[in-house]
Amino acid sequence: GEGVASVSRTATGELEITLDDKYVSARNIDAILLQTTAADIQFQIASETIATDKKVKIWSLTGVTKTDLADSASVLVKFELKNA
C-alpha cells in the first residue's frame, strides 16, 4: 500500500519494488534495515525505471557482495518522487 504495488526478492540480495503509478523521476530514495540484531548491511539503488515500468531495484550488500537479509528483517524505504 501507500503507493507500492508489490515488493519481491528477484535474486540473492536483490529486492524489486513496483510502484502503483509512474513518476517523472526520483529525487531521492533511501533504505534502512530494521532488525533486532546487528548487521553490516548497506543498500544500493541498482536501477530505477519509475517513468516507464514503475520499478526500483535495491541491492542489500555486505561490502560489495549482494547478501540476503534475515527472515526477521524489514526494510524501510522512503521515496521522494517528482510527478510533473
Side-chain angles (χ1 to χ4, degrees), residues 1-6 17-23 50 53-55 81:
E2 297 298 318
V4 174
S6 66
I17 301 169
T18 303
L19 302 176
D20 283 336
D21 296 309
K22 294 178 184 177
Y23 293 87
I50 60 173
D53 64 2
K54 307 181 281 187
K55 296 185 185 299
L81 305 170

Side-chain angles (χ1 to χ4, degrees), residues 4-63:
V4 174
S6 66
V7 178
S8 59
R9 179 186 175 272
T10 53
T12 298
E14 191 171 285
L15 299 174
E16 184 174 83
I17 301 169
T18 303
L19 302 176
D20 283 336
D21 296 309
K22 294 178 184 177
Y23 293 87
V24 173
S25 64
R27 290 186 174 170
N28 189 40
I29 303 171
D30 285 322
I32 42 177
L33 179 65
L34 303 172
Q35 90 177 23
T36 58
T37 57
D40 185 22
I41 298 286
Q42 299 292 321
F43 293 101
Q44 177 177 325
I45 307 305
S47 65
E48 172 270 299
T49 54
I50 60 173
T52 55
D53 64 2
K54 307 181 281 187
K55 296 185 185 299
V56 175
K57 191 170 289 186
I58 298 175
W59 291 342
S60 57
L61 303 167
T62 301

